[in-house]
Every structure is written in structure tokens, then in C-alpha cells.
């Protein structure tokens, strides 16, 4: 697979055996660099598809002081969990005299980069962010930190950047949920999760696997799928019954996916929970609007938002040193309802 990591001026400097400053001047047609050397550097940049990092430039040249405004990046506002986190952030920020600006990344890396730049240009005092699903490059976050802008990650943390974060105990939430399914007689438990580039996906997946192993049940990779939304759940779930052993339970990464499973198995003529048990992860409003109501892991989004805002304000006001990385974990709890025995 072709390497898609963007070329930087540091890369060009290393390859050509020159300084980053020389590369920068050459790309700006500075007369301080000879025409011959400018041509060599510019040709190399063109041939290797170099794109200037506008965010980095704006960070280097800005001198305006930040305001008491917090930037918040949310992957999608339509999700109950993110909306509840936003409520917690806003309440905590308001209590301390701060305002917030909220924007959606739409789960896109490019949009996330633009939002970081926009927030910086608006001189926010810090940013609270849950990274987009397809974010695998982290320069835009590191540049903000290097410029003195504190960042606090929530839910989907960025392991490539050393910054404060707030998460729920995804591993134990999944472990306890799957343990409940096992203790109520389920033996072939399917797992629907998100892409494994996100820590929450890895932690919930590991909690699922470890619960099986602890209770002496074999891990069957055929029962696992990348599926984290209702539409995909409705499409994939019938295929899970093409081969034996059939699943007798599903553990889903979020409530929407679990409800998609519920809708589909009922349409297939299976009874819930007599034939199939289902457990989600969120405990949003939809969990009590389906029939039967959904057993799920409560994430306590408001608490997550409060903790994230509290940390950021601490960094801004100096009660938490900028170089101290705060890592807070909000405990989950299993809410038992009608989709499990």
C-alpha cells in the first residue's frame, strides 16, 4: 500500500542534506537562496507532492492573546452520547465564566484539521476534542500544543499526542456486559465494534475477548464484525446466521448498532431475549424507546464532559500545570433491561 503520510519541510531538508530554514526560504522564492538551489528544492517538492502546512504557519506568526472561549470538536452531534458530553462541558464552562464554540468534524480528518485551524484563528483558550474515526495523523494537534494551546481529549483519545484525556472504562464496561451474557446462559456471543485504530474499539474488543476466556469460552473470530451503526447492523446481522454455530447473543459497540440488531432478528422471527440476547453501549434515550427495552452499558456522558472542561480550565488558569498530563476515567455501569435474560 502506498504511504499516504504527508511530506514535511523537515523530510525535504533531511533528504537533501540542508536545513529546514533553507527549504522554507526556497519554497517562498527567497532571494537569499541561489536560483539553482531554489530550483532543486522546488522540483523535489513538486515531484513528491509537498503541500504547505498552513496551520503550522498560522501558529508560528500569531501574537493575539486567547479569550475565555473553549473550542469543542464533536464527531457528530446527532449521537446522544456526544450531545450529553457537550451538555456537561457547557455546564462546567459556564460555571467558571467560560463560553464554548462547538463544531462537528463529521468523522473526517480533513475537516478536523480545518476546525483546529479555525479555533486557533478565533483565539480560543483551549480545545476539547474527540478525534474523527479516520484520523491517523496527529500533527494538527501537536502544533496547537507546541503553540501553547491546551488540548483535552475525550472518548476517542489520540495516543500519538501527549495530552490530557477523559475516558470511560471501556474495557470493564465491555467485560461486565459480556460476563452478564455468559452468566445468563449465552455461549456464542457476537461482537460488533468500530475500526481498531481507535482506543475505545480496542478496549471494548479486549474486554469482550477476556470475558470469554475467563469463563472458558472459545474466541471465534467469525463472530466479530466491524459494524458501528444501525444501517450496517441491519445488513450484516442476517449473514451471521449463514454458518453454525449461530450466535445466541450480540454485544454492540453502541446503542444504535444494538437496536439495528434487535430490529433485524425480530424481523427474522427470532425472539428477544428467549432466542437472542442483545446488549448495547451508551444508555441513550433510544435504549428505552425500543421493544423490548435495551440492556446497555451506561457511559455517563455528562460526567465525561464536566471532567474534560474541568481539566482544560485547570490548564488555562494554572491550577493544573500545562506539562502535567491528566488522565481521568469515568466508571460505567450495566443497565439491565428486556433484551437480556
Amino acid at each position: 500500500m502506498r504511504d499516504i503520510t504527508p511530506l514535511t519541510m523537515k523530510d525535504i531538508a533531511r533528504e537533501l542534506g540542508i536545513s529546514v530554514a533553507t527549504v522554507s526560504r526556497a519554497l517562498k522564492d527567497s532571494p537569499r537562496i541561489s536560483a539553482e538551489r531554489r530550483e532543486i528544492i522546488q522540483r523535489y517538492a513538486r515531484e513528491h507532492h509537498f503541500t504547505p502546512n498552513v496551520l503550522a504557519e498560522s501558529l508560528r506568526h500569531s501574537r493575539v492573546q486567547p479569550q475565555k472561549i473553549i473550542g469543542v470538536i464533536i464527531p457528530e452531534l446527532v449521537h446522544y452520547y456526544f450531545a450529553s458530553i457537550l451538555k456537561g462541558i457547557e455546564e462546567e464552562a459556564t460555571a467558571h465564566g467560560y463560553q464554548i464554540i462547538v463544531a462537528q468534524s463529521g468523522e473526517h480528518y480533513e475537516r478536523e484539521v480545518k476546525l483546529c485551524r479555525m479555533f486557533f484563528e478565533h483565539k480560543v483558550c483551549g480545545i476539547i476534542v474527540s478525534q474523527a474515526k479516520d484520523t491517523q495523523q496527529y500533527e494538527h494537534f501537536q502544533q496547537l500544543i507546541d503553540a501553547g494551546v491546551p488540548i483535552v481529549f475525550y472518548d476517542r483519545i489520540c495516543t500519538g499526542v501527549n495530552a490530557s484525556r477523559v475516558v470511560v472504562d471501556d474495557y470493564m464496561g465491555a467485560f461486565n456486559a459480556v460476563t452478564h451474557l455468559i452468566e445468563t446462559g449465552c455461549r456464542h456471543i457476537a461482537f460488533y465494534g468500530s475500526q481498531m485504530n481507535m482506543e475505545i474499539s480496542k478496549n471494548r474488543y479486549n474486554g469482550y475477548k477476556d470475558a470469554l476466556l475467563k469463563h472458558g469460552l472459545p474466541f471465534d473470530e467469525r463472530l466479530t464484525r466491524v459494524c458501528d451503526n444501525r444501517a450496517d447492523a441491519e445488513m450484516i446481522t442476517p449473514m451471521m446466521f449463514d454458518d453454525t454455530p449461530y450466535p445466541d447473543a450480540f454485544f454492540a459497540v453502541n446503542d444504535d448498532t444494538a437496536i439495528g440488531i434487535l430490529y433485524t432478528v425480530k424481523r427474522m422471527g427470532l425472539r428477544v431475549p428467549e432466542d437472542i440476547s442483545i446488549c448495547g453501549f451508551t444508555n441513550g434515550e433510544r435504549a428505552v424507546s425500543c421493544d423490548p427495552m435495551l440492556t446497555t452499558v451506561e457511559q455517563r456522558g455528562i460526567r465525561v464532559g464536566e471532567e474534560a472542561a474541568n481539566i482544560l480550565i485547570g490548564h488555562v488558569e494554572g491550577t493544573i500545570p500545562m506539562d502535567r498530563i491528566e488522565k481521568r476515567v469515568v466508571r460505567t455501569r450495566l443497565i439491565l433491561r428486556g433484551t437480556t435474560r
Side-chain angles (χ1 to χ4, degrees):
M1 182 179 291
R2 182 175 66 87
D3 185 7
I4 60 173
T5 303
L7 187 73
T8 66
M9 285 193 286
K10 187 182 293 184
D11 296 329
I12 298 174
R14 183 177 61 251
E15 291 299 320
L16 299 181
I18 56 179
S19 69
V20 175
T22 299
V23 174
S24 177
R25 293 187 185 109
L27 294 177
K28 294 176 182 176
D29 278 326
S30 170
R32 297 173 61 182
I33 308 298
S34 68
E36 181 181 4
R37 175 162 283 192
R38 287 203 307 268
E39 173 56 27
I40 292 172
I41 296 169
Q42 291 174 4
R43 183 170 64 248
Y44 185 92
R46 287 194 303 271
E47 290 174 351
H48 292 81
H49 309 290
F50 171 76
T51 302
N53 193 321
V54 180
L55 174 60
E57 285 296 302
S58 67
L59 292 177
R60 277 193 291 271
H61 294 100
S62 176
R63 293 291 183 272
V64 180
Q65 293 299 310
Q67 309 171 66
K68 291 189 72 171
I69 297 176
I70 298 170
V72 182
I73 299 178
I74 291 200
E76 289 185 314
L77 276 169
V78 295
H79 289 300
Y80 169 86
Y81 181 54
F82 291 129
S84 63
I85 290 174
L86 180 59
K87 177 179 173 63
I89 293 172
E90 185 171 31
E91 289 179 351
E92 186 73 9
T94 300
H96 288 82
Y98 288 75
Q99 295 178 304
I100 65 172
I101 301 176
V102 184
Q104 297 182 82
S105 68
E107 301 286 17
H108 299 301
Y109 163 77
E110 294 83 2
R111 172 70 175 158
E112 186 177 85
V113 172
K114 291 178 181 177
L115 290 175
C116 285
R117 179 186 176 192
M118 181 270 287
F119 280 145
F120 184 84
E121 291 173 347
H122 280 75
K123 309 307 165 194
V124 299
C125 61
I127 296 174
I128 299 174
V129 56
S130 180
Q131 73 176 51
K133 285 181 182 178
D134 65 353
T135 294
Q136 299 187 50
Q137 301 164 28
Y138 313 117
E139 280 190 0
H140 54 302
F141 295 137
Q142 189 60 56
Q143 288 158 0
L144 288 165
I145 293 171
D146 292 344
V149 179
I151 293 179
V152 176
F153 290 98
Y154 67 90
D155 189 51
R156 302 180 195 161
I157 63 173
C158 175
T159 56
V161 173
N162 199 22
S164 294
R165 73 260 330 249
V166 181
V167 297
V168 300
D169 55 345
D170 293 292
Y171 174 87
M172 285 307 302
F175 183 91
N176 291 336
V178 176
T179 294
H180 170 68
L181 293 172
I182 294 169
E183 290 176 345
T184 53
C186 301
R187 292 297 177 265
H188 305 291
I189 303 168
F191 173 81
Y192 283 8
S194 299
Q195 301 164 10
M196 286 297 170
N197 64 303
M198 296 187 294
E199 286 300 301
I200 63 168
S201 305
K202 296 175 187 176
N203 291 336
R204 294 178 195 179
Y205 179 72
N206 289 334
Y208 159 78
K209 284 181 65 176
D210 287 354
L212 296 178
L213 296 174
K214 180 179 179 181
H215 292 85
L217 297 180
F219 168 71
D220 187 348
E221 194 168 353
R222 294 175 301 172
L223 292 176
T224 67
R225 293 289 186 276
V226 175
C227 177
D228 61 4
N229 60 77
R230 177 170 178 166
D232 286 349
E234 292 182 12
M235 177 182 66
I236 291 171
T237 299
M239 303 176 193
M240 300 294 285
F241 295 88
D242 289 343
D243 296 317
T244 56
Y246 300 145
D248 56 11
F250 289 83
F251 172 60
V253 72
N254 57 47
D255 285 357
D256 280 351
T257 303
I259 291 169
I261 297 166
L262 173 62
Y263 173 83
T264 303
V265 297
K266 286 175 64 178
R267 189 179 59 195
M268 294 170 63
L270 296 167
R271 300 170 300 164
V272 178
E274 292 84 358
D275 301 321
I276 302 288
S277 290
I278 302 169
C279 182
F281 206 115
T282 301
N283 195 33
E285 294 175 351
R286 296 177 187 176
V288 294
S289 62
C290 54
D291 182 26
M293 290 190 289
L294 184 67
T295 291
T296 187
V297 179
E298 184 178 44
Q299 288 182 273
R300 300 175 64 203
I302 292 176
R303 183 63 177 168
V304 170
E306 290 172 345
E307 291 286 353
N310 180 267
I311 294 171
L312 186 71
I313 292 168
H315 282 315
V316 171
E317 298 185 350
T319 57
I320 301 176
M322 287 287 286
D323 60 354
R324 190 172 93 198
I325 307 304
E326 284 284 302
K327 298 178 181 179
R328 298 183 188 174
V329 178
V330 174
R331 295 189 180 279
T332 59
R333 63 173 180 157
L334 183 63
I335 307 298
L336 300 179
R337 298 195 182 100
T339 57
T340 55
R341 301 166 194 165

